[in-house]
PDB file of all heavy atoms in Angstrom:
ATOM      1  N   VAL Q  43     110.906  80.153  90.962  1.00  0.00           N
ATOM      2  CA  VAL Q  43     109.774  79.233  90.810  1.00  0.00           C
ATOM      3  C   VAL Q  43     108.942  79.163  92.079  1.00  0.00           C
ATOM      4  O   VAL Q  43     107.711  79.288  92.057  1.00  0.00           O
ATOM      5  CB  VAL Q  43     110.274  77.825  90.418  1.00  0.00           C
ATOM      6  CG1 VAL Q  43     109.118  76.821  90.481  1.00  0.00           C
ATOM      7  CG2 VAL Q  43     110.867  77.846  89.012  1.00  0.00           C
ATOM      8  N   GLY Q  71      73.129  90.262 106.301  1.00  0.00           N
ATOM      9  CA  GLY Q  71      72.525  91.578 106.159  1.00  0.00           C
ATOM     10  C   GLY Q  71      73.441  92.715 106.550  1.00  0.00           C
ATOM     11  O   GLY Q  71      73.014  93.877 106.603  1.00  0.00           O
ATOM     12  N   PHE Q 133      86.478  81.548 108.443  1.00  0.00           N
ATOM     13  CA  PHE Q 133      85.813  81.883 109.704  1.00  0.00           C
ATOM     14  C   PHE Q 133      86.004  83.341 110.124  1.00  0.00           C
ATOM     15  O   PHE Q 133      85.572  83.724 111.206  1.00  0.00           O
ATOM     16  CB  PHE Q 133      86.265  80.944 110.820  1.00  0.00           C
ATOM     17  CG  PHE Q 133      85.689  79.559 110.682  1.00  0.00           C
ATOM     18  CD1 PHE Q 133      86.488  78.502 110.275  1.00  0.00           C
ATOM     19  CD2 PHE Q 133      84.347  79.332 110.918  1.00  0.00           C
ATOM     20  CE1 PHE Q 133      85.953  77.233 110.128  1.00  0.00           C
ATOM     21  CE2 PHE Q 133      83.792  78.069 110.773  1.00  0.00           C
ATOM     22  CZ  PHE Q 133      84.599  77.005 110.378  1.00  0.00           C
ATOM     23  N   LYS Q 138      79.151  80.181 112.820  1.00  0.00           N
ATOM     24  CA  LYS Q 138      78.198  80.715 113.804  1.00  0.00           C
ATOM     25  C   LYS Q 138      78.783  81.855 114.635  1.00  0.00           C
ATOM     26  O   LYS Q 138      78.052  82.742 115.068  1.00  0.00           O
ATOM     27  CB  LYS Q 138      77.731  79.582 114.727  1.00  0.00           C
ATOM     28  CG  LYS Q 138      76.899  78.516 114.005  1.00  0.00           C
ATOM     29  CD  LYS Q 138      76.423  77.445 114.983  1.00  0.00           C
ATOM     30  CE  LYS Q 138      75.566  76.411 114.265  1.00  0.00           C
ATOM     31  NZ  LYS Q 138      75.090  75.344 115.194  1.00  0.00           N
ATOM     32  N   ILE Q 153      98.797  87.753 111.869  1.00  0.00           N
ATOM     33  CA  ILE Q 153      99.400  86.418 111.939  1.00  0.00           C
ATOM     34  C   ILE Q 153      99.542  85.796 110.558  1.00  0.00           C
ATOM     35  O   ILE Q 153     100.643  85.349 110.169  1.00  0.00           O
ATOM     36  CB  ILE Q 153      98.562  85.496 112.854  1.00  0.00           C
ATOM     37  CG1 ILE Q 153      98.648  85.973 114.307  1.00  0.00           C
ATOM     38  CG2 ILE Q 153      99.042  84.046 112.744  1.00  0.00           C
ATOM     39  CD1 ILE Q 153      97.708  85.236 115.245  1.00  0.00           C
ATOM     40  N   LEU Q 184     101.692  94.476 110.110  1.00  0.00           N
ATOM     41  CA  LEU Q 184     101.100  95.738 110.563  1.00  0.00           C
ATOM     42  C   LEU Q 184     100.524  96.532 109.401  1.00  0.00           C
ATOM     43  O   LEU Q 184      99.453  97.144 109.516  1.00  0.00           O
ATOM     44  CB  LEU Q 184     102.155  96.572 111.299  1.00  0.00           C
ATOM     45  CG  LEU Q 184     102.535  96.083 112.697  1.00  0.00           C
ATOM     46  CD1 LEU Q 184     103.698  96.897 113.244  1.00  0.00           C
ATOM     47  CD2 LEU Q 184     101.332  96.165 113.647  1.00  0.00           C
ATOM     48  N   ARG Q 219      91.853 105.648 114.811  1.00  0.00           N
ATOM     49  CA  ARG Q 219      92.689 106.513 113.968  1.00  0.00           C
ATOM     50  C   ARG Q 219      94.139 106.536 114.477  1.00  0.00           C
ATOM     51  O   ARG Q 219      95.078 106.533 113.691  1.00  0.00           O
ATOM     52  CB  ARG Q 219      92.098 107.923 113.913  1.00  0.00           C
ATOM     53  CG  ARG Q 219      90.774 107.989 113.168  1.00  0.00           C
ATOM     54  CD  ARG Q 219      90.160 109.372 113.168  1.00  0.00           C
ATOM     55  NE  ARG Q 219      88.801 109.315 112.648  1.00  0.00           N
ATOM     56  CZ  ARG Q 219      88.479 109.381 111.350  1.00  0.00           C
ATOM     57  NH1 ARG Q 219      89.435 109.516 110.454  1.00  0.00           N
ATOM     58  NH2 ARG Q 219      87.218 109.310 110.971  1.00  0.00           N
ATOM     59  N   LEU Q 221      95.582 104.092 116.171  1.00  0.00           N
ATOM     60  CA  LEU Q 221      96.129 102.768 115.870  1.00  0.00           C
ATOM     61  C   LEU Q 221      96.504 102.668 114.401  1.00  0.00           C
ATOM     62  O   LEU Q 221      97.541 102.087 114.053  1.00  0.00           O
ATOM     63  CB  LEU Q 221      95.111 101.680 116.233  1.00  0.00           C
ATOM     64  CG  LEU Q 221      95.536 100.239 115.937  1.00  0.00           C
ATOM     65  CD1 LEU Q 221      96.812  99.891 116.692  1.00  0.00           C
ATOM     66  CD2 LEU Q 221      94.408  99.266 116.285  1.00  0.00           C
ATOM     67  N   VAL Q 239     122.364  94.517 108.743  1.00  0.00           N
ATOM     68  CA  VAL Q 239     122.981  93.302 108.191  1.00  0.00           C
ATOM     69  C   VAL Q 239     122.776  93.173 106.686  1.00  0.00           C
ATOM     70  O   VAL Q 239     123.339  92.292 106.050  1.00  0.00           O
ATOM     71  CB  VAL Q 239     122.437  92.042 108.904  1.00  0.00           C
ATOM     72  CG1 VAL Q 239     122.852  92.042 110.362  1.00  0.00           C
ATOM     73  CG2 VAL Q 239     120.920  91.947 108.766  1.00  0.00           C
ATOM     74  N   VAL Q 251     107.413 108.187 102.720  1.00  0.00           N
ATOM     75  CA  VAL Q 251     106.732 109.343 102.124  1.00  0.00           C
ATOM     76  C   VAL Q 251     105.303 108.983 101.716  1.00  0.00           C
ATOM     77  O   VAL Q 251     104.435 109.864 101.636  1.00  0.00           O
ATOM     78  CB  VAL Q 251     107.511 109.890 100.911  1.00  0.00           C
ATOM     79  CG1 VAL Q 251     108.909 110.329 101.311  1.00  0.00           C
ATOM     80  CG2 VAL Q 251     107.584 108.866  99.786  1.00  0.00           C
ATOM     81  N   THR Q 266      85.669 110.399 106.778  1.00  0.00           N
ATOM     82  CA  THR Q 266      84.689 109.383 107.146  1.00  0.00           C
ATOM     83  C   THR Q 266      84.001 108.867 105.888  1.00  0.00           C
ATOM     84  O   THR Q 266      84.108 109.453 104.815  1.00  0.00           O
ATOM     85  CB  THR Q 266      83.625 109.942 108.099  1.00  0.00           C
ATOM     86  OG1 THR Q 266      82.957 111.049 107.443  1.00  0.00           O
ATOM     87  CG2 THR Q 266      84.250 110.422 109.397  1.00  0.00           C
ATOM     88  N   LEU Q 289     112.148  93.316  98.617  1.00  0.00           N
ATOM     89  CA  LEU Q 289     112.672  92.363  97.640  1.00  0.00           C
ATOM     90  C   LEU Q 289     113.860  92.951  96.895  1.00  0.00           C
ATOM     91  O   LEU Q 289     114.896  92.293  96.719  1.00  0.00           O
ATOM     92  CB  LEU Q 289     111.568  91.981  96.648  1.00  0.00           C
ATOM     93  CG  LEU Q 289     112.005  91.193  95.406  1.00  0.00           C
ATOM     94  CD1 LEU Q 289     112.654  89.862  95.800  1.00  0.00           C
ATOM     95  CD2 LEU Q 289     110.809  90.957  94.483  1.00  0.00           C
TER      96      LEU Q 289
END
Side-chain angles (χ1 to χ4, degrees):
V43 171
F133 287 107
K138 294 182 178 180
I153 292 172
L184 287 173
R219 292 177 190 274
L221 178 59
V239 295
V251 300
T266 59
L289 169 60

